[in-house]
């Protein structure tokens, strides 16, 4: 039964991952996520059902448009697959509990933010404000121990990123600051600090690789959002194990 639920959650995640691509790409442009049909970015052909099957359409069509042959960004399929795998992992770890609701909402937020920051280097307030009450309600239903750790984590995450932004004179975006408030509500104080550390480490490595590939020097902007989302996911699922392993080495 657990395996069946996990598979179902994975399929559920694949479908929502496709929708999250749409949300992440359209909301920053203030376009409708409901009424506008999906189209090829090159030939403007309206996509049909065969073009919209999560992950499988990308594989079947070899990452190309059926009409014009234009290459389709692998980000679409990666987002869909990642969402499916993360939903399945959440079901496997938490089962049918209120923490599963926290996981689904948190994963959804991070996936969408990942898309918007990669595409536009932007974390829209509209998305953060939409998820804020959902995360608060989910954390009330499945509180941290102690419950006030969520409040401390939110304030700590926001304050630390704000301090970094002030010290670096704009080196940290406002969206990153507000995102860390939401992350703190979910993870609590200690794991928020761990997320910041991991995000900085991942961002440093990713930035070095990207700048080497682009060859445009140090002034090339690199979005920090993907590093934050990856770190937050790692900490959400494995933060306690990481902290316990570190403490055992002391």
């Amino acid at each position: 039964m657990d395996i069946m639920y996990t598979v179902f959650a994975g399929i559920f995640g694949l479908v929502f991952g496709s929708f999250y691509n749409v949300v992440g790409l359209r909301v920053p442009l203030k376009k409708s996520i409901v009424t506008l049909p999906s189209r090829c970015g090159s030939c403007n052909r309206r996509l049909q059902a065969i073009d919209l099957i999560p992950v499988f359409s990308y594989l079947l069509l070899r990452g190309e448009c059926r009409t014009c042959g234009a290459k389709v960004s692998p980000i679409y399929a990666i987002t869909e697959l990642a969402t499916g795998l993360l939903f399945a992992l959440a079901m496997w770890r938490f089962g049918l509990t209120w923490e599963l609701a926290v996981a689904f909402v948190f994963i959804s937020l991070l996936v969408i933010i990942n898309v918007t920051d990669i595409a536009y280097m932007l974390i829209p307030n509209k998305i953060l404000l939409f998820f804020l009450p959902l995360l608060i309600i989910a954390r009330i239903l499945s509180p941290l121990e102690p419950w006030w750790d969520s409040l401390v984590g939110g304030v700590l995450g926001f304050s630390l990123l704000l301090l970094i932004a002030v010290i670096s004179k704009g080196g940290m975006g406002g969206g990153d600051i507000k995102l860390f408030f939401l992350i703190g509500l979910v993870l609590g104080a200690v794991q928020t600090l761990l997320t910041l550390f991991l995000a900085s480490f991942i961002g440093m490595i990713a930035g070095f690789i990207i700048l080497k590939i682009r060859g445009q020097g140090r002034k090339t902007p690199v979005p920090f959002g993907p590093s934050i989302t990856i770190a937050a996911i790692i900490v959400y699922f494995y933060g306690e194990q990481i902290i316990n392993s570190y403490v055992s080495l002391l």
Side-chain angles (χ1 to χ4, degrees), residues 35 81 86 94 96 106 125 129 134 159 171 184 189 208 213 224-225 244-245:
T35 59
L81 181 60
L86 290 172
F94 305 122
L96 297 175
F106 192 47
N125 288 332
L129 289 174
L134 297 180
S159 301
F208 177 79
I213 292 175
F224 189 43
N244 290 337
S245 297

Side-chain angles (χ1 to χ4, degrees), residues 21 25 40-42 58-59 62-65 70-80 115 118-119:
N21 274 320
L25 293 173
C40 172
S42 297
Y58 183 87
L59 296 175
R62 299 180 181 179
E64 298 178 351
C65 171
K71 290 292 184 182
V72 177
S73 173
I75 292 297
Y76 294 102
I78 292 172
T79 299
E80 294 162 355
V115 174
I118 289 176

Side-chain angles (χ1 to χ4, degrees), residues 158-240:
F158 182 89
S159 301
L160 282 176
L161 270 290
L162 180 60
L163 178 62
I164 293 173
V166 172
I167 294 176
S168 63
K169 297 180 180 181
M172 187 68 62
D176 298 328
I177 298 171
K178 287 171 277 192
L179 174 60
F180 251 92
F181 177 76
L182 272 67
I183 290 174
L185 290 178
V186 175
L187 299 181
V190 175
Q191 294 199 13
T192 296
L193 291 174
L194 178 58
T195 300
L196 178 58
F197 171 78
L198 285 181
S200 301
F201 180 73
I202 294 170
M204 179 181 64
I205 295 176
F208 177 79
I209 294 173
I210 291 173
L211 293 179
K212 280 293 184 180
I213 292 175
R214 291 178 179 175
Q216 297 177 4
R218 293 180 179 272
K219 294 184 179 180
T220 303
V222 177
F224 189 43
S227 300
I228 295 175
T229 59
I230 293 172
I233 287 293
I234 292 173
V235 173
Y236 179 69
F237 284 107
Y238 303 107
E240 288 188 9

